[in-house]
Amino acid sequence: MCSKCRWDLPERSQPINYIFNPTTRQFAILPPPPDDGQFFDSIQLVFDPSESSCYRVVCTQFFTSELKIYVYSSETNDWKLCVSQESFNFLPVNFADGVSWNDAVRWISPMGNGFSFLLDKECLETSPRPPLPENWQEQNFRYFGESDGHLHFIGVLAGNQYPDDLNIGIVSPDTSHDQSTDQSIVVYTMERVFSKWFVKYCLHMNAIVMAYPEITEDEDRFVYCHLSTGITLKGDCW
């Protein structure tokens, strides 16, 4: 899905959204959501070519504590209001960062609180929270998204952590003076039935830096390790 804005024309001040198929090189213009597309936080494409050639678009609006969710279907060529909830407690969830996974759109906060919009049931429900340790803070969060058909929540903790320990709430202390490398990248994975999260991987930064020293930079005699969340996780996660 692509967007285009024409700020030079008053009637085109709202984005024009296109649905583009790179395989056939064909595109269609998505009609504007209700209210001419104003005050909408996100527009999320939901499409699984293995199940159907049809697609749906989920549009969320959160304004003055009221949440509305509209769904566009390529079968009906129309928008439908599916959720309208006043005094909605969004628990610092960023609705602009929705993730389409397992026939639903998921949102989550850096502290692990989240919501899911189920497309088949057209309802909103609270999502289970990852088993984050008690010392987890917002700055530990790094990434939330889908990779290779699996849903992941990724963060960083001090010290060398281990999946089995974190799953039962045990956090290993940080015993190193090198704060830049004695850290663990913790990858939480959601079960396919969306019943609970579990810790699948703990990547020890000091071991990674030892194996690949070129990923560090020496600035003023201090070592900095730069972490990018643009990663792909593959394999059987359960």
Side-chain angles (χ1 to χ4, degrees), residues 116-155:
S116 299
F117 174 71
L118 309 182
L119 282 106
D120 289 342
K121 297 181 180 180
E122 297 184 349
C123 67
L124 192 71
E125 65 176 24
T126 303
S127 300
R129 188 174 182 269
L132 304 178
E134 292 184 0
N135 63 341
W136 184 274
Q137 300 180 20
E138 288 191 7
Q139 55 264 34
N140 295 118
F141 172 75
R142 292 294 185 275
Y143 172 82
F144 172 65
E146 179 270 340
S147 177
D148 198 35
H150 305 302
L151 192 65
H152 302 289
F153 180 96
I154 301 177

Side-chain angles (χ1 to χ4, degrees), residues 219-233:
E219 299 179 2
D220 299 328
R221 293 179 296 177
F222 290 94
V223 177
Y224 296 88
C225 180
H226 299 275
L227 169 66
S228 172
T229 54
I231 62 176
T232 300
L233 299 171

Side-chain angles (χ1 to χ4, degrees), residues 159-174:
N160 289 339
Q161 310 298 330
Y162 297 91
D164 291 342
D165 292 342
L166 288 176
N167 277 319
I168 59 177
I170 299 177
V171 180
S172 300
D174 182 9

Side-chain angles (χ1 to χ4, degrees), residues 90-122:
F90 67 105
L91 295 175
V93 171
N94 185 0
F95 283 105
D97 294 332
V99 175
S100 173
W101 180 76
N102 201 13
D103 204 30
V105 177
R106 323 282 181 174
W107 300 273
I108 202 166
S109 74
M111 293 302 294
N113 302 305
F115 299 92
S116 299
F117 174 71
L118 309 182
L119 282 106
D120 289 342
K121 297 181 180 180
E122 297 184 349

Side-chain angles (χ1 to χ4, degrees), residues 198-212:
F198 63 95
V199 181
K200 179 61 179 178
Y201 303 108
C202 283
L203 310 178
H204 298 163
M205 288 300 300
N206 50 4
I208 296 175
V209 171
M210 290 178 62
Y212 304 96

